[in-house]
Amino acid sequence: MFRLDLYRRAGEVETEFMTLMWFTDHEAIVRFAGPDWETAVVPASARAVLSRFDEKAAHYESRVAKEAAPHV
């Protein structure tokens, strides 16, 4: 893994968190998540405070990655 982003969105009833993890290749995902790499990795400490979470992880391949200049 070379990058982890954690996003937070406050709602009227719940606060939602989304974690994006960036891996260099499929083998890096398997090293992190294990052979059942589609099952979400949610540590016990996180499970203790979350009301719910996705059981399966969604995986995407990056098609474009570049820095953009700030919009003025």
Side-chain angles (χ1 to χ4, degrees):
M1 179 176 64
F2 66 92
R3 182 172 151 185
L4 181 140
D5 296 334
L6 177 64
Y7 297 89
R8 177 183 177 270
R9 181 175 70 175
E12 291 183 23
V13 178
E14 294 182 318
T15 298
E16 180 179 354
F17 293 91
M18 177 177 63
T19 305
L20 293 180
M21 301 175 82
W22 304 79
F23 294 90
T24 53
D25 52 37
H26 178 75
E27 289 76 25
I29 296 170
V30 173
R31 282 193 303 274
F32 174 78
D36 188 13
W37 56 274
E38 289 186 310
T39 297
V41 176
V42 183
S45 58
R47 291 173 186 258
V49 297
L50 295 172
S51 60
R52 58 191 169 86
F53 57 88
D54 293 337
E55 296 285 340
K56 292 290 185 181
H59 296 275
Y60 297 84
E61 290 182 21
S62 177
R63 293 298 182 194
V64 175
K66 64 181 187 176
E67 296 291 325
H71 180 69
V72 177

